[in-house]
Amino acid sequence: MPLWPWAVVDFGFLYGVLMDIIEFWHSYTLAFTLTVAILGLLMGSFLNVVVYRLPKMMMRDWRNQAREVLEMPEASSDGAFNLILPNSRCPHCNHEIKPWENIPLLSWLLLRGKCSACKQPISVRYPLVELACALLSALIAWHYGVSWETLAMLVLTWGLLAMSLIDADHQLLPDTLVLPLLWLGLILNSFGLFASLSDALWGAVMGYMSLWLVFWLFKLITGKDGMGYGDFKLLAMLGAWGGWQILPLTILLSSLVGAVLGMIMLRVQRNSLSQPIPFGPYLALAGWIALIWGDEITSRYLQYAGF
């Protein structure tokens, strides 16, 4: 009798099944795209949890560190609070969300956007995040096909989506998301997946330094902080994935989109000019576009300009 359960697993059979699935996906791109879209829906549901809980987890950690430094007594604990526990609950009536009430997109539609217990509305943002994650994932799968690029870009896309939402809510770009993706970009490009390792290294350096210099120039002129250090790290991370070549297009696109959407938000919400506007989502979107279509956009522009 084997000591371990996996000792009886026929890995050769499993490998053969996996190869058959990959071959099927190679033959039917639409099937692969739909499979990845479903995976994107599931990941979108998890990203909703990350976006809501990660800032709270960071705040709890900061408070605990402050109490330790100030030699204050530890705060009473309400139990585990992480990305897994406790189970999701309705913010209005504390009803625990059942598994069948947590099916991405479908449950929200079947419940008509309301809690099954108290009938209070559930924010439409949750299904929209799930849908956006599914569509972006499907686009990646369609563009790159069955490849390592698809797997890598899915991880990057999900990370950028989570960062953008957290930054929009809290003006915060967590190092726990940005830095692992920066290192992952350098590791992947050590195999030349999207850029050479040299281009990726200098992309990270120039990405950080470019916004760092803008930050200090703006501060010397106005005496105010124009952006956060998280933006420097985010652009460095994008440079580590796409190489230094994507940085000019990323900065240009993010500045244009940020200026246009920022003015629209100021008019619609009637915020003052002193109201901080998160730059992370614009950087993330621009870098994502530049990484996928940067060469095509640049060549079309040069062709249009007559160069």
Side-chain angles (χ1 to χ4, degrees):
M1 181 176 179
L3 297 177
W4 304 103
W6 56 79
V8 299
V9 175
D10 188 343
F11 289 103
F13 173 76
L14 293 179
Y15 178 78
V17 171
L18 179 61
M19 291 298 101
D20 288 341
I21 293 174
I22 293 176
E23 184 177 352
F24 174 77
W25 281 340
H26 272 294
S27 303
Y28 299 95
T29 305
L30 182 58
F32 175 64
T33 302
L34 291 175
T35 302
V36 173
I38 294 172
L39 177 62
L41 274 177
L42 297 173
M43 182 54 63
S45 180
F46 177 68
L47 291 184
N48 278 321
V49 176
V50 173
V51 170
Y52 176 76
R53 295 192 182 189
L54 183 58
K56 293 182 178 293
M57 292 164 55
M58 296 173 65
M59 185 61 68
R60 287 189 174 201
D61 185 52
W62 292 335
R63 287 174 176 168
N64 289 335
Q65 292 180 27
R67 286 179 177 274
E68 184 177 347
V69 171
L70 297 174
E71 298 182 351
M72 296 175 62
E74 294 185 5
S76 58
S77 175
D78 297 328
F81 187 84
N82 50 50
L83 299 181
I84 306 299
L85 296 173
N87 295 332
S88 298
R89 294 178 178 273
C90 172
H92 303 288
C93 67
N94 209 34
H95 164 69
E96 183 174 330
I97 307 299
K98 306 301 181 184
W100 55 87
E101 297 173 341
N102 205 25
I103 302 172
L105 192 59
L106 183 60
S107 290
W108 190 89
L109 294 173
L110 293 176
L111 293 171
R112 298 181 179 180
K114 298 179 181 179
C115 172
S116 62
C118 66
K119 306 303 180 185
Q120 290 294 317
I122 302 172
S123 174
V124 71
R125 170 167 153 169
Y126 296 116
L128 287 180
V129 170
E130 293 165 354
L131 181 61
C133 190
L135 293 176
L136 293 174
S137 300
L139 181 59
I140 292 295
W142 185 267
H143 183 80
Y144 289 104
V146 183
S147 62
W148 290 111
E149 287 85 353
T150 292
L151 181 59
M153 280 298 297
L154 285 175
V155 174
L156 177 64
T157 301
W158 298 335
L160 290 176
L161 183 56
M163 291 179 216
S164 299
L165 293 170
I166 292 174
D167 197 27
D169 289 342
H170 304 282
Q171 286 77 56
L172 173 70
L173 288 167
D175 285 349
T176 50
L177 295 178
V178 178
L179 297 184
L181 283 174
L182 189 154
W183 285 108
L184 179 60
L186 291 175
I187 292 171
L188 292 175
N189 283 326
S190 68
F191 301 98
L193 194 65
F194 297 103
S196 68
L197 180 57
S198 175
D199 288 344
L201 175 61
W202 284 108
V205 173
M206 294 170 65
Y208 189 93
M209 291 302 299
S210 59
L211 290 188
W212 184 84
L213 290 173
V214 171
F215 170 85
W216 282 106
L217 180 62
F218 183 85
K219 189 167 186 175
L220 288 174
I221 295 174
T222 65
K224 300 178 181 179
D225 293 345
M227 62 182 69
Y229 277 69
D231 297 322
F232 313 164
K233 300 172 190 176
L234 176 56
L235 189 57
M237 184 267 284
L238 293 169
W241 278 74
W244 62 266
Q245 293 88 343
I246 73 167
L247 296 178
L249 181 60
T250 300
I251 295 173
L252 176 61
L253 288 177
S254 60
S255 300
L256 290 176
V257 174
V260 173
L261 293 183
M263 293 304 297
I264 293 175
M265 290 171 59
L266 289 174
R267 285 183 174 273
V268 172
Q269 300 178 3
R270 298 183 179 180
N271 293 331
S272 65
L273 291 176
S274 61
Q275 180 73 22
I277 298 176
F279 192 50
Y282 309 132
L283 271 179
L285 177 61
W288 189 81
I289 292 174
L291 184 56
I292 300 174
W293 296 292
D295 292 339
E296 183 178 348
I297 293 174
T298 303
S299 63
R300 284 181 178 272
Y301 171 76
L302 293 177
Q303 182 179 3
Y304 177 79
F307 293 103

